Amino acid sequence: MPGSRPRSRRWPGSRPDAVQINAAPLTRDRLEQRIAGACVPGAAVYLDGLDQAASVDPMLFQWLEDALTTPSARQVRWRLACRSAAWDAPLAEALRRTFPGFAEWSLLPLDREAARAAVERAIASPGFDGTEFLRALTSARLGRLSACVGQLIDVAGYWHNQGELPRNAVAATEYEIIRLLKERDRRRRRPLPADRAMRLAKRLGAYTMFGGTQALTVAPVGDNATIAVDDLPSEPDPAEPNRPVDPGDYREVLDSVLFTAGPSGSVVFQHQRYVEYEVLAAIIDAVYPDLLGTQDLVRILRPHKTTPIGGYHKTLRNLAGHIPEADLVLFARWLADRTTRENVDEDRFGELHTSVVQRLFEHADDDVVRDALARLAAAGVKAGRRHHNAFPWAGGPVDRRRALAIAVASSGTDPWYTIFALALLTVDDIDWLLDVLPSLPPEATGALSTCIAQLVREPSTRIADRILTLPPSHPAYTATNYLRGQVAVDSEAMAP
């Protein structure tokens, strides 16, 4: 049973005092405890899954730099494992200064002979021909799979059992997950049907991907770093509306070899790519908002930087369409607080920001929704977010667009710049602005008056005449005063 699995593993052939710590399912506090306990002089510690842990906690590498350069940590022989794309250069530089002889190793693609040996050893079937498999792989222009040994073996198993190569990486991963879900102790009671087990695995993948932890357990726990199956929703799966999900069903899935030992008797998905597969757009259909409310979602949602098969970014892109209308403001405020320059640079939110802005504008006749939209849109400008598509108001209702401009002008810093960056006003709005400005609150008139000054750089005769006749009490009078200056008749500016 998962609850009885060991807390840590020792690598085959390693020295007796060598311990492997999987960082992926641990909170920073738990990881700190594990590292502190491993800091025994002369010990060898293998710290694995750093890329997965950093995707949940962006400050992990910075904290790890402090933890591994302490006097006690310097007496330990460390070996760190991380995906190359997620490896942190400042951490590497700090370790290089702290540990003499520190070296970085990159896993290169296997050559043909090594790839053949790897797949033949993994498939271990007399009927499997590794050479023929590699020939089919290269003919299909899939030789780049040799850079990922695990995926190469998955594809080899698919080819051996199906007689053909998978049509894409998603099909290969699905095949592998189905196989892993079937593998269990056959002396135990009959396992769940394959389709139900797959749906429950997807649900578990959604809970772990959207949560701040990747560890699951069948036993009660007293911390927030592990999800107990007894605490998971029992609402029926949409495919079986009359059959509630029992904790025993979750236990059956966790007892498959899709999961491996985690900390303190818990289990975790064997590999992050299995989690990424589970969180395709179908997961949102199955879990949110019926089984997972928006309040819980925004509390645990952790957008990730890398998703090799693209499922997670697809999920984020489609998420906006699933948000209940009554929860739009809550979600928009949450997203605005997390729309920072750092997140934009790393593309951690994908197209979520754009799709939520679109959804909000559809309901922006409501004052509260409009204010939430103004806050989110302004946060995107401040963060330097690039918009690849037209803004939703570029052809939308004029009155709604103008009301949004007033909302933006009433909040934030440099609101007139934000209004221009969002293309909320055009020269066709000048007459309207001049009419409504006297009736607007003072916090909005300053920015909108500056917008008028920017829009009338080359005014038509009619607009120029109207501006020149504004009374000094008009809010836009001062901003447009540069148009009222006197010029001497003999000035060079008046020369023909």
Side-chain angles (χ1 to χ4, degrees), residues 233-300:
S234 61
E235 283 84 356
D237 188 283
E240 298 178 283
N242 298 320
R243 190 187 189 287
V245 177
D246 186 87
D249 297 332
Y250 288 121
R251 293 189 183 100
E252 284 291 334
V253 176
L254 294 182
D255 198 49
S256 70
V257 295
L258 178 61
F259 295 85
T260 189
S264 303
S266 66
V267 294
V268 297
F269 277 92
Q270 274 206 35
H271 199 281
Q272 179 71 8
R273 61 191 174 89
Y274 296 145
V275 184
E276 291 162 353
Y277 165 80
E278 305 291 12
V279 192
L280 292 169
I283 303 306
I284 290 296
D285 293 333
V287 177
Y288 176 76
D290 295 333
L291 305 183
L292 186 70
T294 303
Q295 186 74 49
D296 293 326
L297 180 66
V298 298
R299 178 174 54 84
I300 65 176

Side-chain angles (χ1 to χ4, degrees), residues 339-358:
T339 302
T340 65
R341 184 168 295 277
E342 177 186 8
N343 285 332
V344 168
D345 290 343
E346 295 183 351
D347 195 26
R348 292 172 59 85
F349 287 94
E351 297 179 34
L352 177 61
H353 186 283
T354 300
S355 57
V356 171
V357 166
Q358 171 71 52

Side-chain angles (χ1 to χ4, degrees), residues 111-384:
D111 59 30
R112 181 176 290 271
E113 181 57 30
R116 183 195 62 77
V119 295
E120 288 185 348
R121 187 181 303 112
I123 303 302
S125 171
F128 178 76
D129 187 337
T131 301
E132 186 61 28
F133 163 68
L134 292 176
R135 184 178 297 115
L137 200 70
T138 53
S139 297
R141 300 181 181 275
L142 295 174
R144 63 184 181 279
L145 288 175
S146 61
C148 179
V149 179
Q151 192 169 10
L152 180 69
I153 292 173
D154 292 349
V155 174
Y158 187 102
W159 182 82
H160 177 57
N161 290 283
Q162 306 293 110
E164 61 182 1
L165 292 173
R167 61 186 182 277
N168 52 41
V170 173
T173 304
E174 180 180 12
Y175 166 82
E176 180 66 7
I177 290 176
I178 292 173
R179 182 185 68 78
L180 293 174
L181 284 170
K182 290 180 179 179
E183 291 191 11
R184 64 185 70 234
D185 186 345
R186 300 196 180 276
R187 293 174 295 179
R188 290 173 47 78
R189 61 191 175 120
R190 183 180 179 184
L192 296 171
D195 58 340
R196 182 170 175 82
M198 175 62 88
R199 290 195 299 272
L200 290 177
K202 289 181 176 181
R203 186 182 290 196
L204 291 170
Y207 291 139
T208 57
M209 179 66 100
F210 285 126
T213 178
Q214 296 176 337
L216 299 142
T217 181
V218 299
V221 292
D223 58 71
N224 295 324
T226 307
I227 301 174
V229 295
D230 289 345
D231 297 331
L232 294 178
S234 61
E235 283 84 356
D237 188 283
E240 298 178 283
N242 298 320
R243 190 187 189 287
V245 177
D246 186 87
D249 297 332
Y250 288 121
R251 293 189 183 100
E252 284 291 334
V253 176
L254 294 182
D255 198 49
S256 70
V257 295
L258 178 61
F259 295 85
T260 189
S264 303
S266 66
V267 294
V268 297
F269 277 92
Q270 274 206 35
H271 199 281
Q272 179 71 8
R273 61 191 174 89
Y274 296 145
V275 184
E276 291 162 353
Y277 165 80
E278 305 291 12
V279 192
L280 292 169
I283 303 306
I284 290 296
D285 293 333
V287 177
Y288 176 76
D290 295 333
L291 305 183
L292 186 70
T294 303
Q295 186 74 49
D296 293 326
L297 180 66
V298 298
R299 178 174 54 84
I300 65 176
L301 185 62
R302 298 291 187 273
H304 285 230
K305 179 179 178 180
T306 57
T307 48
I309 64 173
Y312 194 73
H313 279 172
K314 181 179 179 181
T315 299
L316 290 178
R317 182 172 65 248
N318 295 338
L319 176 58
H322 293 264
I323 302 171
E325 184 177 342
D327 294 339
L328 280 172
V329 171
L330 167 67
F331 194 91
R333 289 171 178 170
W334 172 86
L335 186 58
D337 289 340
R338 284 153 184 81
T339 302
T340 65
R341 184 168 295 277
E342 177 186 8
N343 285 332
V344 168
D345 290 343
E346 295 183 351
D347 195 26
R348 292 172 59 85
F349 287 94
E351 297 179 34
L352 177 61
H353 186 283
T354 300
S355 57
V356 171
V357 166
Q358 171 71 52
R359 183 86 193 283
L360 287 167
F361 186 69
E362 295 170 1
H363 302 275
D365 290 332
D366 180 279
D367 293 347
V368 178
V369 175
R370 182 167 59 247
D371 288 344
L373 172 57
R375 177 177 170 183
L376 178 58
V381 172
K382 185 177 180 180

